[in-house]
Amino acid sequence: MTAWVRVCAESELLPGESRVAWDGDTPILVVNLDGALYALEDKCTHEDFELSAGPIDGDQVECTLHGARFDLRTGEALCAPAYSAVPKFPVKREDGAVWTRDDR
Ligand code: FES
């Protein structure tokens, strides 16, 4: 099991904001949706484009390359051209900071 990676201070990830952290070679998109934190691999399952480049709309993120959308809470692919879910990672608040890790 890998160690937790510090994303940022809690005050730097307020509702509606997002951050990208790296756990080794894994980019992780961490979002704050109305106070609840979620972490997904920052990689579209269509052609590996970074999801963090796209707009967040409610609880969804859209890939700017070809328009696939994903549920930020679950990683589920919501429309073509992506059909596979994005891996979801654990995320926590501790010591005033936000933490995540690639637990695969
Ligand atoms: S790379 Fe994301 S929709 Fe094609």
Side-chain angles (χ1 to χ4, degrees):
M1 186 179 288
T2 59
W4 290 88
V5 171
R6 188 181 187 278
V7 179
C8 62
E10 277 190 63
S11 59
E12 294 173 320
L13 186 60
L14 298 175
E17 295 184 335
S18 61
R19 295 271 164 183
V20 176
W22 288 82
D23 186 352
D25 293 334
T26 305
I28 303 178
L29 172 63
V30 184
V31 298
N32 182 331
L33 298 182
D34 293 330
L37 301 177
Y38 299 93
L40 299 177
E41 186 168 20
D42 186 18
K43 198 191 270 190
C44 183
T45 55
H46 179 229
E47 285 185 1
D48 291 351
F49 197 72
E50 59 265 34
L51 292 174
S52 55
I56 289 176
D57 179 16
D59 61 359
Q60 300 177 8
V61 62
E62 181 177 315
C63 179
T64 53
L65 207 51
H66 311 107
R69 281 186 288 110
F70 298 89
D71 187 318
L72 287 164
R73 297 167 198 264
T74 63
E76 182 187 356
L78 299 172
C79 73
Y83 300 97
S84 306
V86 173
K88 184 181 174 188
F89 299 128
V91 60
K92 68 176 180 179
R93 293 176 168 95
E94 196 170 285
D95 296 333
V98 176
W99 306 79
T100 188
R101 62 187 170 92
D102 180 349
D103 62 348
R104 291 175 294 185

